[in-house]
Every structure is written in structure tokens, then in C-alpha cells.
């Protein structure tokens, strides 16, 4: 089945540690996105990538980094510079020219201890 | 800037009740509007969309009409089921230069619980 796979589903980390969240898609979509979801705040865009080897900052990019070396993969690193990293992270993809139909993964819940 | 405001939740209804979840937006230009749904433990999925004023999006018994004059996109369903229990997000996206990408602006989400 085509879709988006995020891993791990749950992750715990200590303060000061970097952690990388995986996102893989087999939908042949050009564009990929990372959103952060916090209770009562909806989703906020962290980074997005329209094509391989290119990505752009979203609204809350500080403390995060990404790479897009392959069309299928868009990993997100939460660095120690992110002051409040505990959240639910959602990866999504789209055809690129579509008017906003995003396909989401099931999310990764990060908890900083 | 662009923003989306949804009615405060949570919303609790009995099965077969009528549902309305209000959504209003602020945007420069002419946005496309969307409703996404998130079932427990899952990611979001597109429920319906409308790309221009007066369009009506519909899916699975849900409907929403793009009202430019009131900058609204309220979600309605005539008779809800227990299986409709989920979080509902209103969102907008803007075209840029003839193409558009999924840089959506989301509302805060409304939790819906339907009891038998």
C-alpha cells in the first residue's frame, strides 16, 4: 500500500540530546512537510521541501534541521537548541502542484525528560 | 498574515444529532479551504475541500460551503455517528504563481465526541 511511514512512533530523550525522526513515502510525491502539533494550537509548519536537495523554513524552524537527499525521505532532526521539543510531529507529502491535499503519516510523539 | 479560527471545543453530541463546527479565516488573496479529520491514533486525512467562493465541498455526509462574504467555511453534518468522533481541522492554502504547495495554515482543531 502507498503511504507515509513515520518512525519511531514514540520517542523519549534527555535534555541536550539531538534526535532524528524518520519519514518515508512511496507515493512518488515531490513535496514533503513537517508539522508540529500541540494541544489547542493546531498544526504549525516546521520545514518543507518541494524537490530533492531543496528545502525551506516554515513558521517555526528554529531548533530543527532537515535534509532531502532522496525523493522518498525527509528526516527531521530536533536539536538541543529547540527549547520546547515535547510535541507530536507529523510528516506529510503532496504532489506539489495540488491545491493542498496533504497525505499524512501517523505521527511521532517526542517526549523530553 | 493568514489565520484560521475554529469554534472552541470539545463538542459532545448524541448519535443522529446535527453537527456544525464553525470556521472563519483571514487571508490575503484567494485561498483554497479544507477540512481535515484526525481519528484517534492516526494522522490527518483530507475530508473535503473548496477552491473558490460559493463552492461546496462534501464527503461522507459532511458538507462545507466557501463563503467569501463572511470569510467562513463551516462544517456540517445532518446526522452524526459514533464513528465520526475525531478531531476536525479547518485549513487554508494559498496559490502562488499558478502552482501551490501544501503550505497550509491550520486552525486549532475541534474535538468531536459522539455518544450512542
Amino acid at each position: 500500500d502507498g503511504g507515509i511511514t513515520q518512525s519511531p512512533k514514540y520517542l523519549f530523550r534527555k535534555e541536550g540530546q539531538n534526535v532524528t525522526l524518520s519519514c518515508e513515502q512511496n507515493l512518488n510525491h515531490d513535496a514533503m512537510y513537517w508539522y508540529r502539533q500541540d494541544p489547542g494550537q493546531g498544526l504549525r509548519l516546521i520545514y518543507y521541501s518541494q524537490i530533492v536537495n531543496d528545502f525551506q523554513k516554515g513558521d517555526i524552524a528554529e531548533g530543527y534541521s532537515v535534509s532531502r537527499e532522496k525523493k522518498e525521505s525527509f528526516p527531521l532532526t530536533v536539536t538541543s537548541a529547540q527549547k520546547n521539543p515535547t510535541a507530536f510531529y507529523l510528516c506529510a507529502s503532496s504532489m506539489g502542484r495540488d491545491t493542498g491535499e496533504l497525505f499524512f503519516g501517523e505521527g511521532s510523539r517526542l517526549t523530553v525528560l | 498574515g493568514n489565520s484560521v479560527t475554529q469554534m472552541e471545543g470539545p463538542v459532545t453530541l448524541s448519535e443522529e444529532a446535527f453537527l456544525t463546527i464553525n470556521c472563519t479565516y483571514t487571508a490575503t488573496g484567494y485561498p483554497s479551504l479544507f477540512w481535515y479529520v484526525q481519528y484517534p491514533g492516526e494522522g490527518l486525512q483530507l475530508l473535503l475541500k473548496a477552491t473558490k467562493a460559493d463552492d461546496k465541498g462534501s464527503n461522507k455526509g459532511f458538507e462545507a460551503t466557501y463563503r467569501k462574504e463572511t470569510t467562513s467555511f463551516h462544517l456540517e453534518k445532518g446526522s452524526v455517528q459514533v464513528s465520526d468522533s475525531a478531531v476536525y481541522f479547518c485549513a487554508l492554502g494559498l496559490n502562488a504563481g499558478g502552482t501551490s504547495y501544501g503550505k497550509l495554515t491550520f486552525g486549532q482543531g475541534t474535538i468531536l465526541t459522539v455518544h450512542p
Side-chain angles (χ1 to χ4, degrees):
Chain A
D1 286 338
I4 298 180
T5 301
Q6 290 187 239
S7 63
K9 195 164 186 177
Y10 299 96
L11 186 61
F12 299 88
R13 80 151 214 224
K14 295 179 181 179
E15 282 191 24
Q17 290 180 334
N18 293 353
V19 62
T20 297
L21 307 179
S22 170
C23 177
E24 303 279 331
Q25 55 102 356
N26 60 5
L27 299 168
N28 199 33
H29 284 171
D30 291 319
M32 297 186 73
Y33 314 83
W34 275 104
Y35 283 89
R36 170 177 170 145
Q37 184 178 11
D38 295 285
Q41 293 192 45
L43 278 69
R44 292 179 290 169
L45 182 64
I46 304 173
Y47 267 98
Y48 66 101
S49 168
Q50 297 171 353
I51 56 172
V52 174
N53 292 322
D54 184 62
F55 49 82
Q56 307 295 327
K57 292 181 179 179
D59 300 320
I60 56 164
E62 185 175 352
Y64 300 97
S65 65
V66 293
S67 62
R68 187 84 186 278
E69 298 176 0
K70 299 188 298 182
K71 187 176 185 178
E72 305 79 24
S73 179
F74 191 43
L76 173 74
T77 297
V78 184
T79 74
S80 56
Q82 168 50 233
K83 295 177 182 175
N84 185 21
T86 294
F88 190 55
Y89 292 89
L90 286 162
C91 180
S93 69
S94 71
M95 284 296 293
R97 290 182 179 274
D98 185 69
T99 53
E101 181 168 0
L102 299 181
F103 293 79
F104 283 86
E106 293 189 347
S108 294
R109 185 167 298 281
L110 172 64
T111 303
V112 174
L113 304 173
Chain B
N2 304 322
S3 66
V4 176
T5 302
Q6 292 181 230
M7 67 183 289
E8 293 286 334
V11 174
T12 303
L13 296 172
S14 297
E15 207 164 25
E16 299 183 2
F18 184 85
L19 168 71
T20 299
I21 301 178
N22 290 340
C23 171
T24 57
Y25 68 89
T26 302
T28 55
Y30 302 95
S32 296
L33 300 173
F34 309 87
W35 278 100
Y36 279 81
V37 59
Q38 184 178 31
Y39 297 105
E42 299 183 10
L44 279 70
Q45 56 185 272
L46 180 66
L47 180 60
L48 53 85
K49 69 179 183 182
T51 57
K52 62 182 186 296
D54 300 324
D55 271 1
K56 178 186 285 188
S58 61
N59 185 26
K60 299 181 180 179
F62 290 90
E63 293 184 340
T65 301
Y66 188 165
R67 301 286 188 200
K68 186 179 176 183
E69 63 276 14
T70 54
T71 62
S72 66
F73 194 54
H74 305 322
L75 182 68
E76 297 181 336
K77 187 174 184 181
S79 176
V80 293
Q81 305 300 312
V82 172
S83 58
D84 293 327
S85 298
V87 184
Y88 292 82
F89 292 90
C90 187
L92 71 83
L94 287 168
N95 292 330
T99 63
S100 67
Y101 298 90
K103 288 178 57 184
L104 301 184
T105 299
F106 285 86
Q108 72 271 34
T110 301
I111 299 172
L112 171 65
T113 303
V114 180
H115 292 297

